[in-house]
Amino acid sequence: MQWPPPWRRSPLLSASPPPGPVKGFLRPVRMSEAARLYHYVTPAESAMEGRWQTRPSLRPASPTNAPAHRQPPLANVCQQNYGAPQDPVEPAGLRSASHVTGSSLGKAEVACGSRRRWAELVPESSWSPAVGASKMKVKMLSRNPDNYVRETKLDLQRVPRNYDPTLHPFEVPREYVRALNATKLERVFAKPFLASLDGHRDGVNCLAKHPKNLATVLSGACDGEVRIWNLTQRNCIRTIQAHEGFVRGVCTRFCGTSFFTVGDDKTVKQWKMDGPGYGEEEEPLHTILGKTVYTGIDHHWKEAVFATCGQQVDIWDEQRTNPICSMTWGFDSISSVKFNPVETFLLGSCASDRNIVLYDMRQATPLKKVILDMRTNTICWNPMEAFIFTAANEDYNLYTFDMRALDTPVMVHMDHVSAVLDVDYSPTGKEFVSASFDKSIRIFPVDKSRSRYVPTSKPKTTHYSLRYQNVYFQLTSREKAAKDYNQKLKEKFQHYPHIKRIARHRHLPKSIYSQIQEQRIMKEARRRKEVNRIKHSKPGSVPIVSEKKKHIVAVVK
Amino acid sequence: METAPKPGRDVPPKKDKLQTKRKKPRRYWEEETVPTRDGASPGPPCNKKNRELRPQRRKNAHILKKSRISKKPQVPKKPREWKNPESQRSLSGAQDPFPGPAPVPVEVVQKFCRIDKSRKLPRSKAKTRSRLEVAEAEEEETSIKAARSELLLAEEPGFLEGEDGEDTAKICQADIVEAVDITSAAKHFDLNLRQFGPYRLNYSRTGRHLAFGGRRGHVAALDWVTKKLMCEINVMEAVRDIRFLHSEALLAVAQNRWLHIYDNQGIELHCIRRCDRVTRLEFLPFHFLLATASETGFLTYLDVSVGKIVAALNARAGRLDVMSQNPYNAVIHLGHSNGTVSLWSPAMKEPLAKILCHRGGVRAVAVDSTGTYMATSGLDHQLKIFDLRGTYQPLSTRTLPHGAGHLAFSQRGLLVAGMGDVVNIWAGQGKASPPSLEQPYLTHRLSGPVHGLQFCPFEDVLGVGHSGGITSMLVPGAGEPNFDGLESNPYRSRKQRQEWEVKALLEKVPAELICLDPRALAKVDVISLEQGKKERIERLGYDPEAKAPFQPKPKQKGRSSTASLVKRKRKVMDEEHRDKVRQSLQQQQQQQQHKEVKAKSTGARPSALDRFVR
């Protein structure tokens, strides 16, 4: 028995294998030997043969086919079908020639006069010079694979582009799907929480950045302990028992070699950034004993001067134990003081009598102050724009002020649902991060009133202090191109409902979510009431106050 | 330094012309300055040389190839401005021979333009408007850049032309094979497979692979360029149709009962029993949908990426055996025995459109790659080309002696019809024009009746399956010469294919987005918004967004008597009424003013016809 049986045997494989690399089957009937051996013909070879370039083909005219009585085109079958007239001057001799060629094979089809039945029936030798000698121009697409395939494995792949729209159908739907994917991936990879630095035995009260080193962060705790952390290794480098009671403020010197702390024990201490040598005791460089409790400290950005706040704002020279000057305006405790990083003689402070006071260090008196509805917890200066600072307020909002026009804030940032405790600018000055008593952190663009981003993690504790640390990554050009492309796509399709829903979605803790809803209702009610009041009172008697001006009580100079 | 042009040159007339054009009226006080300037700077001779060269170069660039299809729209370049040559001269005295930005042919820019300039921008706020204008300018800039990049395309399309206007239809395959280079000649071959006859065939999207299936069960797939066989099997069942899926690794075969999917080794991967008695297959590559038309009259869409049936539509027109897809918008065209062609999308249970094409049944349908033209042939022996851009009217008609049983379009718009054992090809004037049906471009007779036709993508090759086997014909000018490497690359490596596959799967277009206009997603759908509103009002019986009539609130302490309620209600109603009256009065006044201004501006004397003006 033979397997496979005859009816299952392939007609292709049953043919005898032709020589050369063409394996197994499929011997094309009309195919020259060269083409059979080389699937492609290289230009060099073709140059030798002289057949690579397109050229008008002049068939070698046989002596019988002199140009004078060239063979007229034979009327093909289809034209006969259409009733096209036969060429009347067709010489019979040529027809018979083709007849002879055919008859030598003894095939009926050829005998009918059609030259077109040459395909598998006519042997190669029988047709080339004998058939007619029409002069025609023909060019076929013939690509040289060398232009499309890389030469070695070390090369990049060649990718020829053609931006013809017909080769790229469904442009809009495909871009839409790409935008959808990009939006989804953005949400998938948004994992904002990097690490927690564990070690403090009590709540962390204040934080400070190192001015020269991105990886170093200082934190002061409620039990008087200061720790220095390495962010890349995520461990604690050094622990100092700095104060008795709370550490109220930490700041680093502009050169990064030492840092200052203030505490509940009415002292200001200066510490070396590097740890003590072997066998030495951990001791502050200087200690200043004050009369009252200090609640905050900040260092000048260029000089050996620092400022503390408490009952009043004191400005100290590092070398002296008494303040250079102390400034007050009103009688209340000042919660924070900040030096302007650009105009380095300027200071801002905020006090619990709802005001923000600005000072110039060169004068002994404060410059001006603005009184808001509720008290401000912290302020932060924009590191890029000298006049701009942002205040974190108890009325759930943040206010960005221009120092020159304090009566109207540049922008009111509303998204928190509880008192805002701390704020810090990014080094680029384009956005800032804020922490609130509602146990959430939000990132706001400077020019937007709504937050861009809420890093969501399980809120367990309130963030009392935070600092914005930017870390830069070097992207390769391809990564950057892909990122830019995706960004553009997201922008383009941002208003499509499906994409909008995914892009806007944030998983908020239920408490925050319900509070947001509640406050929306309250706000709407307030707005409605105001509108009604305006509507039902004498026109002009109730002034329309914009949201920006609403919370400013007074500006005093 | 030479100064005067030699008389023997072939270009002086041009130059003289240029000089005369620039010649200023002669001023006696300027006689001195002209020669000194010439002497001082070495620039002018150089300039002259440049100017002489330029017309020559242009002449060369304008040699047109006389051919039937390869006519590219050659636009005369914009005349460069020579207004102020002195100011353009640099320190060295040399002059920029090509000042200004490089010219771009208008037609090419038009090809890449995606915004309809004829439509005015919608009336909108200034900010939106400016944004729209910026977007439009950007769009124009990109289309110009894309048009410039055409210069980098490596290949030219093929062409065929007879000696001084000789009919190309009389040129037979043997002549072409004789005339072309070896590589192209090798693309012509015949597979003599009389045993398992008539064959259907399909090229993969890159044009590199060929699959064919004979009615008596013979299925094979091969890399037809290198002639390497991938698999060959006999499925022991009638094969109705065969189709590659998204890559050459998967093969869908419509067998007598069910639909089967094989891989490139010939191993059966799936037998899909929900698609039974399938007669025709179409694969929509961007949606990963396999559309099957069956004898039972159902059009079924199978999502091959997840293996789910997306939609099964009952065409209610009996047995379906004529199907083709519109590559521009992925709409499926079905031909029916009552002479209609219906257009289907998986998103709709009903056809998107029905076109009455023929008096008898429809035998074959094909749609070209731009989605503009549809060719149909029917039992009434007619071949018609329809415009699909909204009118659905026949552009040209031709009666064929036997009628065409199979039709196919090539990438560059050639139309092929299989009539009995004869294949006719018609060509048009380039890619975006319909093929003219007067004179065939090429004809060929095969050794058996035609059963399947397809142009090979990116090659000048037509594959014909017939009862005697497979024939690969040479059709110069059929294929798109320049492929896009990221879209479908015939020379891609295994890694590239894998990467492409992942990308393609990631951006699989959802089946619901298939509609007649593929750019509909980028448009604002005002109509359906309004219609939705209307429908909602009808459904609810009232307009939920309309302003509710005033209802006075009940008040305490006896102030809520009926009389006072009515009084309050009346008060509000009166107020609203007064508002309306005030508004209409204002409008009237404005109209009056407008009219007066108009009357004043038109002329001082009133015409007798003014009394009819309202």
Side-chain angles (χ1 to χ4, degrees), chain A residues 271-330:
Chain A
W271 304 84
K272 256 171 51 176
M273 193 64 85
D274 307 324
Y278 182 73
E280 287 177 35
E281 269 188 50
E282 187 80 83
E283 278 200 343
L285 289 173
H286 301 288
T287 308
I288 300 163
L289 194 60
K291 286 170 193 156
T292 53
V293 175
Y294 300 109
T295 52
I297 185 167
D298 196 27
H299 201 280
H300 193 276
W301 288 77
K302 280 178 183 159
E303 289 175 9
V305 170
F306 64 91
T308 59
C309 59
Q311 297 283 323
Q312 72 282 345
V313 172
D314 294 331
I315 296 171
W316 306 73
D317 193 324
E318 278 182 15
Q319 306 301 324
R320 302 189 184 181
T321 50
N322 288 323
I324 305 170
C325 66
S326 55
M327 295 175 278
T328 54
W329 193 346

Side-chain angles (χ1 to χ4, degrees), chain B residues 219-238:
Chain B
V219 170
L222 62 143
D223 182 343
W224 72 269
V225 182
T226 56
K227 316 284 189 297
K228 213 179 99 196
L229 184 65
M230 292 200 298
C231 72
E232 190 183 15
I233 47 172
N234 197 320
V235 296
M236 304 300 289
E237 207 177 7

Side-chain angles (χ1 to χ4, degrees), chain A residues 167-472:
Chain A
L167 292 185
H168 301 271
F170 307 105
E171 197 176 53
V172 177
R174 283 163 81 193
E175 275 192 348
Y176 171 76
V177 174
R178 276 181 205 158
L180 189 63
N181 286 346
T183 317
K184 283 179 183 170
L185 285 179
E186 188 201 2
R187 299 308 312 142
V188 166
F189 290 121
K191 290 206 164 53
F193 184 74
L194 292 175
S196 69
L197 305 170
D198 302 335
H200 276 297
R201 282 178 295 257
D202 209 337
V204 179
N205 198 33
C206 49
L207 283 173
K209 286 188 283 194
H210 195 284
K212 300 277 158 115
N213 189 353
L214 280 178
T216 309
V217 161
L218 296 96
S219 66
C222 296
D223 58 351
E225 193 180 55
V226 173
R227 280 179 183 245
I228 304 177
W229 305 90
N230 188 330
L231 287 185
T232 45
Q233 292 168 357
R234 291 169 193 179
N235 59 2
C236 177
I237 305 169
R238 217 174 130 202
T239 312
I240 306 158
Q241 187 59 43
H243 295 278
E244 285 169 20
F246 280 43
V247 179
R248 288 290 176 187
V250 185
C251 74
T252 49
R253 201 166 182 275
F254 59 91
C255 57
T257 52
S258 62
F259 64 92
F260 296 83
T261 57
V262 289
D264 269 357
D265 53 358
K266 300 179 186 174
T267 51
V268 181
K269 291 183 180 177
Q270 186 186 7
W271 304 84
K272 256 171 51 176
M273 193 64 85
D274 307 324
Y278 182 73
E280 287 177 35
E281 269 188 50
E282 187 80 83
E283 278 200 343
L285 289 173
H286 301 288
T287 308
I288 300 163
L289 194 60
K291 286 170 193 156
T292 53
V293 175
Y294 300 109
T295 52
I297 185 167
D298 196 27
H299 201 280
H300 193 276
W301 288 77
K302 280 178 183 159
E303 289 175 9
V305 170
F306 64 91
T308 59
C309 59
Q311 297 283 323
Q312 72 282 345
V313 172
D314 294 331
I315 296 171
W316 306 73
D317 193 324
E318 278 182 15
Q319 306 301 324
R320 302 189 184 181
T321 50
N322 288 323
I324 305 170
C325 66
S326 55
M327 295 175 278
T328 54
W329 193 346
F331 303 94
D332 227 321
S333 67
I334 296 162
S335 57
S336 104
V337 64
K338 287 282 162 71
F339 272 102
N340 190 327
V342 186
E343 291 295 328
T344 48
F345 293 107
L346 286 176
L347 292 119
S349 77
C350 48
S352 55
D353 62 351
R354 307 177 302 166
N355 59 18
I356 301 169
V357 189
L358 302 178
Y359 311 91
D360 191 334
M361 215 176 81
R362 294 164 292 193
Q363 306 165 315
T365 51
L367 282 176
K368 42 180 153 179
K369 83 173 169 185
V370 56
I371 304 168
L372 285 92
D373 264 351
M374 294 179 81
R375 74 173 259 217
T376 305
N377 283 318
T378 333
I379 66 165
C380 185
W381 292 91
N382 190 326
M384 287 292 155
E385 293 174 82
F387 298 114
I388 307 290
F389 66 91
T390 300
N393 204 292
E394 290 269 294
D395 64 356
Y396 313 169
N397 295 342
L398 292 117
Y399 299 95
T400 298
F401 284 100
D402 188 329
M403 203 186 86
R404 297 163 292 185
L406 286 175
D407 52 343
T408 316
V410 179
M411 189 59 74
V412 183
H413 309 273
M414 307 176 276
D415 253 350
H416 283 296
V417 289
S418 188
V420 190
L421 296 176
D422 203 356
V423 59
D424 192 34
Y425 264 94
S426 80
T428 56
K430 297 270 184 203
E431 51 191 24
F432 58 83
V433 60
S434 66
S436 160
F437 199 73
D438 60 12
K439 301 172 184 174
S440 73
I441 300 170
R442 283 178 187 270
I443 297 176
F444 290 87
V446 171
D447 52 348
K448 295 272 160 56
S449 74
R450 295 286 165 183
S451 64
R452 173 180 74 88
Y453 187 65
V454 199
T456 51
S457 58
K458 285 263 166 62
K460 288 172 191 147
T461 51
T462 315
H463 307 270
Y464 283 102
S465 179
L466 80 171
R467 292 290 170 264
Y468 199 115
Q469 199 85 327
N470 251 25
V471 184
Y472 298 97

Side-chain angles (χ1 to χ4, degrees), chain B residues 439-450:
Chain B
Q439 200 66 28
Y441 174 59
L442 275 178
T443 57
H444 185 58
R445 168 166 270 204
L446 303 146
S447 60
V450 176

Side-chain angles (χ1 to χ4, degrees), chain B residues 51-335:
Chain B
R51 267 175 229 161
E52 279 164 17
L53 275 176
R54 277 179 46 75
Q56 270 187 336
R57 199 177 299 156
R58 255 196 221 166
K59 228 197 278 169
N60 288 345
H62 270 262
I63 289 177
L64 287 171
K65 279 169 193 157
K66 274 186 202 167
S67 75
R68 293 176 56 107
I69 4 177
S70 71
K71 260 180 201 162
K72 249 187 162 181
Q74 298 233 359
V75 178
K77 287 173 184 172
K78 285 175 199 163
R80 300 233 169 74
E81 288 171 9
W82 292 93
K83 274 182 198 163
N84 203 357
E86 271 74 18
S87 66
Q88 289 166 356
R89 210 168 278 165
S90 66
L91 268 182
S92 66
Q95 199 180 344
D96 183 8
F98 306 105
V104 193
V106 182
E107 271 87 347
V108 184
V109 175
Q110 201 59 41
K111 188 171 86 174
F112 291 103
C113 201
R114 288 166 180 88
I115 285 179
D116 188 5
K117 283 270 178 62
S118 60
R119 286 172 62 189
K120 275 166 81 179
L121 283 176
R123 274 200 174 180
S124 46
K125 284 178 190 167
K127 206 171 175 185
T128 317
R129 201 179 168 77
S130 71
R131 208 178 290 155
L132 284 175
E133 275 164 2
V134 165
E136 209 161 74
E138 254 174 27
E139 172 68 37
E140 197 173 348
E141 185 63 24
T142 46
S143 60
I144 285 174
K145 272 185 184 158
R148 285 233 171 87
S149 72
E150 287 255 295
L151 202 70
L152 302 173
L153 298 182
E155 305 283 341
E156 292 269 308
F159 62 88
L160 171 67
E161 61 188 68
E163 187 202 8
D164 22 279
E166 184 205 6
D167 188 7
T168 48
K170 291 168 187 166
I171 297 168
C172 66
Q173 285 290 304
D175 299 344
I176 297 174
V177 171
E178 177 76 351
V180 297
D181 55 304
I182 299 175
T183 321
S184 303
K187 286 171 190 164
H188 177 83
F189 59 86
D190 240 337
L191 303 181
N192 192 357
L193 307 161
R194 300 202 161 274
Q195 207 178 347
F196 294 100
Y199 278 89
R200 296 279 300 171
L201 84 171
N202 181 236
Y203 286 101
S204 67
R205 275 194 68 221
T206 57
R208 194 63 196 261
H209 297 85
L210 171 67
F212 50 85
R215 169 122 23 97
R216 297 190 188 88
H218 174 216
V219 170
L222 62 143
D223 182 343
W224 72 269
V225 182
T226 56
K227 316 284 189 297
K228 213 179 99 196
L229 184 65
M230 292 200 298
C231 72
E232 190 183 15
I233 47 172
N234 197 320
V235 296
M236 304 300 289
E237 207 177 7
V239 170
R240 302 264 188 68
D241 201 356
I242 188 163
R243 191 96 4 197
F244 274 116
L245 298 190
H246 58 279
S247 74
E248 58 272 8
L250 290 171
L251 198 61
V253 181
Q255 294 178 16
N256 197 25
R257 279 291 300 269
W258 294 312
L259 173 69
H260 293 254
I261 291 181
Y262 298 91
D263 74 349
N264 58 0
Q265 305 298 310
I267 298 164
E268 183 183 311
L269 299 178
H270 303 288
C271 167
I272 296 149
R273 295 186 186 171
R274 285 195 59 192
C275 303
D276 61 333
R277 293 175 195 285
V278 174
T279 52
R280 284 287 177 267
L281 295 172
E282 278 294 343
F283 185 67
L284 312 176
F286 296 99
H287 304 79
F288 283 82
L289 291 179
L290 183 69
T292 59
S294 73
E295 277 180 2
T296 53
F298 273 88
L299 169 66
T300 313
Y301 286 88
L302 175 74
D303 189 333
V304 296
S305 64
V306 290
K308 246 171 57 178
I309 284 183
V310 171
L313 311 171
N314 190 355
R316 293 196 202 87
R319 181 190 147 98
L320 302 173
D321 57 352
V322 178
M323 175 159 76
S324 81
Q325 67 162 308
N326 186 338
Y328 172 66
N329 55 13
V331 165
I332 292 287
H333 293 226
L334 292 176

